[in-house]
Amino acid sequence: MDSGQIEAVKRQILSLEKAQRMAEFFGVLGDTNRWRILSALAVQEMRVGELAEIVGMSESAVSHQLRTLRVMRLVSHERQGRNVVYRLQDDHIVNLYKEVSEHLDEPH
Amino acid sequence: MDSGQIEAVKRQILSLEKAQRMAEFFGVLGDTNRWRILSALAVQEMRVGELAEIVGMSESAVSHQLRTLRVMRLVSHERQGRNVVYRLQDDHIVNLYKEVSEHLDEPH
DNA sequence: ACAACACCTGAACAGGTGTTCATATATCGA
DNA sequence: TCGATATATGAACACCTGTTCAGGTGTTGT
């Protein structure tokens, strides 16, 4: 590669901003407990306390994580009386899970 | 949800091991510079030094990151004389990029 | 109105992550 | 073989992240 080609690639790669947005999103999925929470919500929508018991975390920790998931619009929430019900916002995560699951299952 | 349903969901969620593997993989994609490196390699295969100049990082930092990407089998490498050429291992990452890009571009 | 309940939030602290710097390894040219 | 080049690696350090703990907000039943 000569210096002209180098410059050409520089113009084609992800911008810093776009790369940051990607990293931020994938970073959210880079946590074991958040995957457990998401997989629980993939079974069915549920309240915070129920999530906490299912994944074996404190309610506070779950709440903190749900906040993160909310910001990335992976889950939506709805207050019902004194409870707050969380659900997966759409099936993007399920698709991502399937796609990556294949990758990880490939023989090395 | 009664306690029976709670137990049922507990059995259906991702195991700790599977969740950890998912988190580990996505965590690798949770870094701005790794996305810049991957997007450069998506344009064309290239040497470490070229990557370093294109993404504006030190060669050492790039090398460290490539190691991480290699472990997750996102890139493969081949020594050519004193150079080492890196390339994307397959198109999984490109697919992931497209899928997530849509998600991020959706109106809030 | 008030106590109990369900959830959220901020600060603090421990553990993890990415970069730099110095050095090591590997290959080529003379 | 020796110096130059290209990449890899280990330790150290600064920064980021997730949990806990203490306390706060919002809602219901009496």
Side-chain angles (χ1 to χ4, degrees):
Chain A
M1 277 177 85
D2 59 35
S3 64
Q5 287 175 298
I6 295 275
E7 292 306 312
V9 177
K10 275 190 191 175
R11 279 178 249 110
Q12 293 177 70
I13 64 172
L14 283 186
S15 68
L16 208 59
E17 297 74 35
K18 187 91 186 178
Q20 278 167 348
R21 295 216 304 154
M22 281 289 151
E24 196 180 3
F25 179 83
F26 279 91
V28 168
L29 296 179
D31 179 83
T32 303
N33 286 331
R34 282 196 286 269
W35 271 107
R36 306 248 297 164
I37 289 171
L38 289 170
S39 70
L41 294 177
V43 176
Q44 67 170 88
E45 64 177 38
M46 65 185 81
R47 318 188 283 105
V48 178
E50 292 169 338
L51 268 173
E53 178 171 354
I54 288 170
V55 303
M57 300 169 63
S58 73
E59 291 196 6
S60 175
V62 169
S63 187
H64 276 296
Q65 298 296 31
L66 286 170
R67 178 173 168 67
T68 302
L69 295 172
R70 248 163 37 212
V71 169
M72 278 301 146
R73 294 177 301 129
L74 289 170
V75 302
S76 62
H77 65 302
E78 182 192 349
R79 183 170 272 280
Q80 290 181 1
R82 35 188 160 185
N83 303 324
V84 178
V85 174
Y86 280 82
R87 62 180 67 93
L88 295 188
Q89 183 127 0
D90 52 45
D91 51 0
H92 273 137
I93 316 98
V94 177
N95 292 339
L96 282 177
Y97 171 77
K98 287 177 185 161
E99 183 138 358
V100 171
S101 202
E102 285 170 22
H103 178 77
L104 293 178
D105 288 345
E106 278 171 14
H108 298 199
Chain B
M1 278 176 90
D2 59 35
S3 65
Q5 287 176 298
I6 296 273
E7 293 305 313
V9 177
K10 275 190 191 174
R11 279 179 249 113
Q12 292 178 71
I13 64 173
L14 284 186
S15 68
L16 207 59
E17 297 74 35
K18 188 89 187 180
Q20 277 167 348
R21 295 216 306 154
M22 281 290 150
E24 195 181 4
F25 178 83
F26 279 91
V28 168
L29 297 179
D31 179 84
T32 303
N33 286 332
R34 281 196 286 268
W35 272 107
R36 307 248 296 164
I37 290 171
L38 289 170
S39 70
L41 294 177
V43 176
Q44 66 171 87
E45 64 177 38
M46 66 185 82
R47 319 188 281 104
V48 177
E50 292 169 339
L51 268 173
E53 178 172 354
I54 287 170
V55 303
M57 298 169 65
S58 73
E59 292 197 4
S60 176
V62 169
S63 186
H64 276 295
Q65 297 296 29
L66 287 171
R67 178 173 168 68
T68 302
L69 294 171
R70 246 161 41 210
V71 169
M72 278 299 145
R73 291 175 304 128
L74 289 169
V75 303
S76 62
H77 65 303
E78 182 191 351
R79 183 169 273 280
Q80 289 182 0
R82 33 187 159 189
N83 302 325
V84 178
V85 175
Y86 279 83
R87 63 180 66 94
L88 295 188
Q89 182 125 2
D90 51 45
D91 51 1
H92 273 137
I93 317 96
V94 177
N95 292 339
L96 282 177
Y97 171 77
K98 287 177 184 161
E99 181 139 357
V100 170
S101 202
E102 287 170 21
H103 178 78
L104 293 177
D105 288 345
E106 278 171 13
H108 299 200

